[in-house]
Every structure is written in C-alpha cells, then in structure tokens.
C-alpha cells in the first residue's frame, strides 16, 4: 500500500486566498485510518520539477497493490499517465477528495481529462463524496466510522493484507523486509493513561503475517528493548505465518527469518 504526498498540491493550497487545509486534513485522516486499521503503508512523493526533481516517474509502482490519493488536486500529465498505467495493470487507486482537478502549475484541467481519471474502473471511493475533518478536531464516533470505512476499503482492495489480526486500535504496526532473508514487524502501543503517566499493556493476541517470497520462516523472535529475546512458536500459513504475540507494554519487534 502506498499513500501519495503531493508537494504541488500542498504548496498550491497554502498559496491561494481560498486556503482550505483540505490536503493536510485528508492526508492525516488517511494515515490515522491505516494505522488504526493495521495496514502498513509507504509514502510516495509527487514532486515539482521547479523545486526539485520529481521522484514519482522513477518509482516502481508494481510494488503496490493499492495507492491511496488523499486530496491530490494537482497532477502533472506524466503523473496522471503513470496512475492510469498502474490501474490498467490491476492496481486499485483509492481516492479521498479531489483528484487531478488541476495540473502541476495549478491550472484547471480540461473537464474530459479530469473525468477520465475520476471515473476509471480502478478508482474506488470508500468515503463516497465524504472527506476527513480538520486533524485538530476532537475524535468522535462519526470520525472513527470514517477511519473504519477507509481502512476496510483498503484491506478489501489489497485482498491479502500484510497483517491480519484483532490487534487493538491503539497498537500500530510497521513492517520491513531486510537483506539476508529477514522480515520485521514493529509494534507500538499508544494506549496511554494520561493520569497515571503510563501505557496500558495490551493483551496477547494472535497475528497473521504475510511474508515476501524472499523470506523463509525458520524462526520467529520477539525483541523488546532491555529484555532478553524470546523465541515464539508459530504456525505456517499459505504465504506467511500465524503467531501469538505476547503482551505489549510499549514497543516490540517480531523478527522472522
């Protein structure tokens, strides 16, 4: 899963008199939804050639099954073509807010070209016409429902998520593939008791991990800073493993290889 960060869109939104803050709110909303939905993701930058070379043309989009575009209003023609090619090869583009309504210089795009990308069969909108509220707004049941809709939409499009479990919403996870046939999943517990000044330990939970083809699961090691490593028993599953994670105080790493 990749999330697009559009430098031209952010610069445009800050420069125009009708500044909305929408790109920041939707980027933050998407990131929060994926974190609480336990969907690991990478950020792909859409650059602006007048400021720095755009890295997007050289990005290998075949690594991703899903790309999420949170209010990416400004897109160059080359960026539009690359997203279309991604979708035509079987990828899913999940959109929140505007998409490519202007070119990279902020000029309004022709209606026909704009509609062609907006209505493509590979484009999905889990929130419909909805967007995310300001990132500074207090959490509410309605906001949590939007997070759930977005994360569910991404997980459905991915079909085989990297992490499948009943992890608590406050346990967030990031995954890495390393040289030497190793894979790691980093778990952070954000369930914090402000009055007591400490984190609430999570309960042990079973987690399914989808492993890349370069990783052969021979052992699973649980690592916590300041504590001895623990070898965990695991069950092999098609494409990965299932393992019971111990209680998480703050931070722990599962290393498989």
């Amino acid at each position: 899963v990749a999330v697009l960060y559009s430098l031209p869109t952010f610069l445009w939104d800050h420069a125009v008199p009708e500044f909305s803050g929408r790109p920041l709110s939707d980027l933050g909303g998407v990131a929060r939804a994926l974190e609480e939905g336990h969907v690991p993701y990478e950020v792909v930058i859409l650059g602006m050639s007048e400021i720095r070379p755009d890295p997007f043309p050289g990005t290998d989009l075949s690594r991703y099954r899903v790309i999420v575009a949170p209010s990416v209003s400004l897109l160059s023609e080359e960026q539009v073509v690359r997203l279309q090619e991604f979708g035509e090869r079987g990828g899913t583009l999940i959109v929140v807010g505007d998409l490519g309504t202007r070119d990279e210089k902020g000029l309004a795009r022709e209606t026909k070209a704009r509609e062609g990308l907006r209505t493509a069969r590979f484009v999905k909108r889990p929130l419909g016409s909805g967007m995310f509220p300001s990132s500074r707004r207090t959490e509410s049941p309605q906001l949590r429902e939007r997070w759930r809709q977005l994360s569910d939409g991404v997980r459905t499009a991915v079909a085989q998520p990297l992490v499948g479990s009943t992890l608590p919403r406050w346990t967030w996870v990031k995954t890495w593939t390393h040289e030497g046939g190793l894979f790691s999943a980093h778990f952070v517990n954000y369930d914090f008791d402000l009055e007591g000044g400490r984190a609430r330990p999570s309960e042990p939970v079973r987690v399914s991990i989808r492993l890349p083809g370069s990783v052969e699961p021979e052992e699973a090691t649980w690592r916590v800073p300041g504590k001895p490593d623990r070898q965990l028993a695991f069950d092999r599953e098609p494409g990965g493993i299932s393992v019971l994670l111990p209680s998480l105080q703050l931070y722990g790493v599962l290393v498989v290889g």
Side-chain angles (χ1 to χ4, degrees):
V1 176
V3 175
L4 299 182
Y5 176 96
S6 170
L7 179 59
T9 298
F10 272 79
L11 292 176
W12 170 265
D13 190 60
H14 281 75
V16 296
E18 60 271 23
F19 168 77
S20 68
R22 178 60 59 194
L24 180 60
S25 296
D26 283 338
L27 178 64
V30 164
R32 181 67 178 268
L34 297 182
E35 296 287 6
E36 293 208 5
H38 313 118
V39 180
Y41 63 92
E42 297 179 353
V43 176
V44 172
I45 296 175
L46 302 179
M48 193 172 186
S49 57
E50 287 84 353
I51 297 177
R52 54 166 292 178
D54 182 10
F56 189 62
T59 302
D60 180 12
L61 300 184
S62 65
R63 300 176 55 236
Y64 308 111
R65 298 184 182 184
V66 175
I67 293 178
V68 186
S71 280
V72 180
S73 303
L74 276 65
L75 286 172
S76 69
E77 290 303 319
E78 184 175 18
Q79 291 166 351
V80 169
V81 169
R82 291 222 63 207
L83 290 175
Q84 289 175 329
E85 291 174 345
F86 167 78
E88 290 166 0
R89 288 195 300 266
T92 299
L93 181 63
I94 289 187
V95 177
V96 177
D98 291 335
L99 176 67
T101 54
R102 297 178 179 273
D103 66 16
E104 75 278 15
K105 297 183 184 298
L107 300 177
R109 181 166 268 115
E110 181 185 348
T111 302
K112 183 178 180 180
R114 185 172 66 228
E115 288 297 307
L117 185 58
R118 189 180 70 84
T119 60
R121 59 177 176 76
F122 56 82
V123 172
K124 307 297 181 184
R125 288 182 173 269
L127 301 186
S129 59
M131 301 179 185
F132 287 101
S134 168
S135 56
R136 293 185 174 89
R137 182 171 296 182
T138 302
E139 181 179 314
S140 66
Q142 293 77 15
L143 180 53
R144 288 198 296 273
E145 176 60 17
R146 289 194 180 183
W147 289 336
R148 185 197 63 76
Q149 289 175 335
L150 193 285
S151 64
D152 285 356
V154 172
R155 294 181 75 90
T156 297
V158 170
Q160 293 179 304
L162 280 173
V163 179
S165 74
T166 54
L167 283 169
R169 61 183 290 241
W170 293 115
T171 299
W172 295 6
V173 58
K174 285 287 185 291
T175 61
W176 277 270
T177 301
H178 309 272
E179 293 183 358
L182 293 177
F183 174 90
S184 65
H186 299 245
F187 298 86
V188 181
N189 177 19
Y190 285 99
D191 188 5
F192 196 76
D193 179 2
L194 293 177
E195 293 184 0
R198 65 184 63 185
R200 303 179 182 92
S202 67
E203 296 293 327
V205 62
R206 181 160 292 278
V207 177
S208 295
I209 304 288
R210 179 167 58 84
L211 298 173
S214 60
V215 176
E216 177 62 30
E218 297 179 356
E219 60 181 27
T221 306
W222 180 245
R223 294 179 173 174
V224 175
K227 295 184 178 181
D229 290 352
R230 294 176 57 182
Q231 298 301 314
L232 302 181
F234 63 88
D235 297 323
R236 293 176 182 265
E237 296 182 339
I241 64 170
S242 173
V243 60
L244 182 65
L245 289 185
S247 173
L248 180 65
Q249 181 72 34
L250 288 174
Y251 171 71
V253 184
L254 177 66
V255 180
V256 181

